[in-house]
Amino acid sequence: MKKFNITVAGGGSTFTPGIILMLLDHLEDFPIDTIKLYDNDGERQQTIADACEILLNERTPGVKLLASTDPKTAFENVDFVMAHIRVGKYAMREQDEKIPLKHGVVGQETCGPGGLSYGMRSITGVLEIVDYMEKYSPEAWMLNYSNPAAIVAEATRKLRPNSKILNICDMPIGIEELMATNIGLESRKEMVVKYYGLNHFGWWTDIRDKSGKDLMPSIIKHVEKFGYSTDTGSEMEQEASWNDTFKKARDVQALDKDTLPNTYLKYYFFPDYVVEHSNKDYTRANEVMAGREKFVFGECKSIIEKGTAEGTELTIDEHASYIVDLARAIAFNTKERMLMIVENKGAISNFEPTAMVEIPCLVGSEGPEPLSVGEIPRFQKSLMEQQVGVEKLTVEAYEEQSYQKLWQALTLSRTVPSASVAKDILDDLIEANKGYWPELK
Ligand SMILES: NC(=O)c1ccc[n+]([C@@H]2O[C@H](COP(=O)([O-])OP(=O)(O)OC[C@H]3O[C@@H](n4cnc5c(N)ncnc54)[C@H](O)[C@@H]3O)[C@@H](O)[C@H]2O)c1
Ligand SMILES: O=P(O)(O)OC[C@H]1O[C@H](O[C@H]2[C@H](O)[C@@H](O)[C@@H](O)O[C@@H]2CO)[C@H](O)[C@@H](O)[C@@H]1O
Ligand SMILES: [Mn+2]
């Protein structure tokens, strides 16, 4: 069986070790020759690379690892580019979250003003990676994981329409694992789901087991009491902010008793609750810097100092296993049924055809084949039309360097109370993003 070459773009990511461990755990069904790491911050990446080199040599000496900041070295002769970059890193995520809160508005990584700010930075970085991939490995596929996936997906649809890019999100995966746990299943893979929406803005409408038994009633019964929370104290639920998010799904689900919501909808339905429960001086970015970033880089430095990965607490990022499912689907034409962020083109028959929607697809060597969703109800249709307008106006603002359109996008967001607050936030974000955003006219 062919051995694949993979480039991880954003090699210095806190998720890189977990994704590499996951790839090594699936070599049987997805053999790898070389993993290359690429980052524009060589020092950050080198720490991750040196630790992963030791780990690889101890566990799977057959797989080669190479880290580079040189695009040709990093992108030539590869089959897949797994991209998870964070343009501006956590320092800018902190600004994305704190600036809106200063104005009494939701401060979040991918939603509301924070998401638009992040999106205006990410587009340049992701397009650059796409162009490197196409220059040095024109046959390769990009599995893009870089956020904000909704805006990045719209930008790649519009600005790189012929590129081989698959935009993906693991939030539905994470929530489905919680659902499975809550109704006593071993894994989310025992469920067949129908879901539709935009990225971080969607609903499950049908969930069955492989025999066709309807699982929605039992899942809804749990959510109506406990949200998605389990009593297993899972890793994510040990973090207060995630725990609150999973519990809040109960109130979000009350808006439509026949469906199950993506947790991100809480920012759009209860922005007042979110702001009331936010600490404007210590946001999720601070939690992640003090948590995941400190842990991953601490573990990597310890592996390097000891010269062995023996006893490391770094673990497989199981949620990233869907990345292997996706790469296998492309490589072996498996027609795996997966949620992907794809151009609507009538799959949701009463919604904007050019919208990037998150829906079930059959994935094979030609890419995703969207499954038909049909008509969606007025409630979701109206919400999605407003939100997709925000996302499309943001990409137009980027492309046209238009202050006016970005102001319109912010004003259109459900998370922003008025055009004057939108303008105040926009002016602060422009100042903070000097050197990252295109200059707006
Ligand atoms: N799609 C999803 O559901 C999902 C899930 C988890 C994380 N993510 C995304 O994965 C990404 C990584 O997350 P993280 O918390 O590990 O971030 P991180 O800051 O730890 O790592 C990001 C890396 O990207 C690098 N980078 C930034 N700009 C770059 C550029 N232009 N070219 C090359 N490298 C660049 C940084 O130097 C850094 O090493 C983020 O975009 C995050 O939002 C997405
Ligand atoms: O606040 P963070 O950086 O911890 O997480 C923000 C991301 O949250 C989601 O990804 C989760 C995923 O849902 C979960 O299963 C597990 O893998 O952790 C991930 C990161 O915490 C969301 O899908 C991403 O888009 C966010 O960036
Ligand atoms: Mn996501």
Side-chain angles (χ1 to χ4, degrees):
M1 195 191 286
K2 169 181 165 60
K3 287 192 173 186
F4 296 95
N5 295 327
I6 294 165
T7 294
V8 175
S13 159
T14 59
F15 292 103
T16 297
I19 286 178
I20 287 182
L21 283 167
M22 180 276 303
L23 290 168
L24 301 184
D25 202 42
H26 290 76
L27 290 175
E28 288 291 298
D29 50 16
F30 188 66
I32 294 171
D33 179 87
T34 303
I35 296 174
K36 297 184 181 183
L37 303 185
Y38 170 76
D39 204 298
N40 65 355
D41 178 338
E43 189 185 347
R44 182 183 178 90
Q45 176 171 262
Q46 204 54 52
T47 304
I48 300 282
D50 290 348
C52 290
E53 177 98 50
I54 293 168
L55 193 149
L56 268 174
N57 289 339
E58 287 179 341
R59 300 191 188 179
T60 49
V63 177
K64 296 185 278 294
L65 182 82
L66 172 157
S68 177
T69 55
D70 169 55
K72 182 174 186 303
T73 309
F75 289 93
E76 66 184 357
N77 183 30
V78 296
D79 305 291
F80 293 96
V81 173
M82 296 178 179
H84 55 194
I85 66 173
R86 185 185 294 279
V87 179
K89 293 202 275 274
Y90 293 130
M92 286 311 294
R93 174 177 178 172
E94 187 176 8
Q95 292 301 308
D96 294 341
E97 294 171 354
K98 290 185 174 175
I99 288 173
L101 279 171
K102 210 174 71 178
H103 298 273
V105 167
V106 168
Q108 215 280 325
E109 178 200 30
T110 61
C111 302
L116 301 194
S117 175
Y118 189 10
M120 288 291 283
R121 293 195 304 274
S122 297
I123 295 171
T124 306
V126 172
L127 294 184
E128 186 182 61
I129 304 280
V130 173
D131 295 345
Y132 288 149
M133 177 182 81
E134 294 185 336
K135 180 174 179 184
Y136 296 113
S137 291
E139 296 312 309
W141 279 87
M142 175 185 277
L143 314 185
N144 179 60
Y145 191 59
S146 312
N147 267 322
I151 290 170
V152 166
E154 171 61 11
T156 52
R157 176 196 70 83
K158 193 156 190 237
L159 305 173
R160 295 292 183 282
N162 304 315
S163 297
K164 291 159 70 174
I165 304 169
L166 303 171
N167 286 294
I168 45 183
C169 169
D170 65 4
M171 196 72 246
I173 306 282
I175 296 170
E176 287 171 13
E177 285 296 358
L178 298 174
M179 290 172 176
T181 301
N182 291 334
I183 58 170
L185 299 181
E186 280 303 304
S187 153
R188 66 173 184 88
K189 291 209 166 181
E190 296 172 60
M191 307 190 309
V192 181
V193 307
K194 286 185 181 174
Y195 180 97
Y196 69 84
L198 307 171
N199 175 248
H200 289 186
F201 200 96
W203 293 262
W204 284 268
T205 55
D206 191 276
I207 302 176
R208 294 176 189 274
D209 69 12
K210 297 291 171 83
S211 74
K213 181 183 169 222
D214 186 358
L215 300 174
M216 286 288 275
S218 55
I219 298 171
I220 289 175
K221 191 160 169 245
H222 181 95
V223 170
E224 285 176 335
K225 283 205 186 108
F226 310 107
Y228 292 121
S229 297
T230 72
D231 55 8
T232 61
S234 67
E235 190 191 333
M236 280 183 84
E237 291 175 271
Q238 285 163 31
E239 293 207 68
S241 47
W242 273 112
N243 207 6
D244 181 71
T245 290
F246 294 135
K247 285 194 167 68
K248 194 63 183 175
R250 180 189 56 195
D251 298 337
V252 178
Q253 198 270 343
L255 268 296
D256 179 355
K257 290 291 194 188
D258 301 328
T259 63
L260 286 159
N262 187 303
T263 47
Y264 275 96
L265 286 164
K266 90 167 180 179
Y267 298 106
Y268 299 98
F269 291 171
F270 300 100
D272 46 355
Y273 167 90
V274 171
V275 172
E276 270 161 47
H277 289 75
S278 296
N279 176 348
K280 62 182 174 39
D281 301 317
Y282 195 83
T283 61
R284 180 66 191 158
N286 300 115
E287 290 177 4
V288 173
M289 286 186 263
R292 184 171 70 240
E293 183 178 53
K294 186 165 173 238
F295 166 72
V296 170
F297 280 84
E299 280 299 301
C300 285
K301 285 172 184 155
S302 163
I303 290 172
I304 295 162
E305 274 155 30
K306 291 190 299 187
T308 174
E310 194 66 39
T312 180
E313 291 182 30
L314 288 175
T315 54
I316 290 180
D317 182 354
E318 201 40 59
H319 295 288
S321 61
Y322 75 109
I323 292 183
V324 174
D325 293 343
L326 185 50
R328 292 194 71 250
I330 298 289
F332 304 118
N333 198 34
T334 64
K335 299 295 184 190
E336 178 93 5
R337 192 178 194 278
M338 304 179 76
L339 293 190
M340 302 289 298
I341 305 165
V342 294
E343 190 170 0
N344 185 28
K345 292 185 181 173
I348 302 175
S349 52
N350 61 336
F351 191 59
E352 166 67 48
T354 67
M356 292 302 279
V357 293
E358 197 163 30
I359 56 174
C361 297
L362 300 181
V363 186
S365 49
E366 298 307 304
E369 195 181 328
L371 296 180
S372 168
V373 172
E375 282 209 356
I376 60 176
R378 184 179 308 286
F379 179 59
Q380 280 84 0
K381 174 177 158 65
S382 309
L383 283 164
M384 285 168 59
E385 276 166 353
Q386 180 181 25
Q387 181 62 16
V388 83
V390 174
E391 295 161 6
K392 284 181 176 288
L393 279 167
T394 301
V395 173
E396 287 170 22
Y398 174 89
E399 199 183 0
E400 300 163 23
Q401 297 180 254
S402 165
Y403 180 97
Q404 186 79 18
K405 285 198 172 177
L406 201 54
W407 183 19
Q408 288 172 352
L410 281 166
T411 302
L412 191 56
S413 173
R414 282 184 59 83
T415 62
V416 179
S418 76
S420 46
V421 171
K423 193 171 191 310
D424 292 344
I425 293 174
L426 176 55
D427 292 342
D428 282 356
L429 289 175
I430 288 171
E431 188 54 35
N433 280 279
K434 272 197 166 56
Y436 288 108
W437 287 8
E439 196 166 331
L440 301 183
K441 295 171 285 214

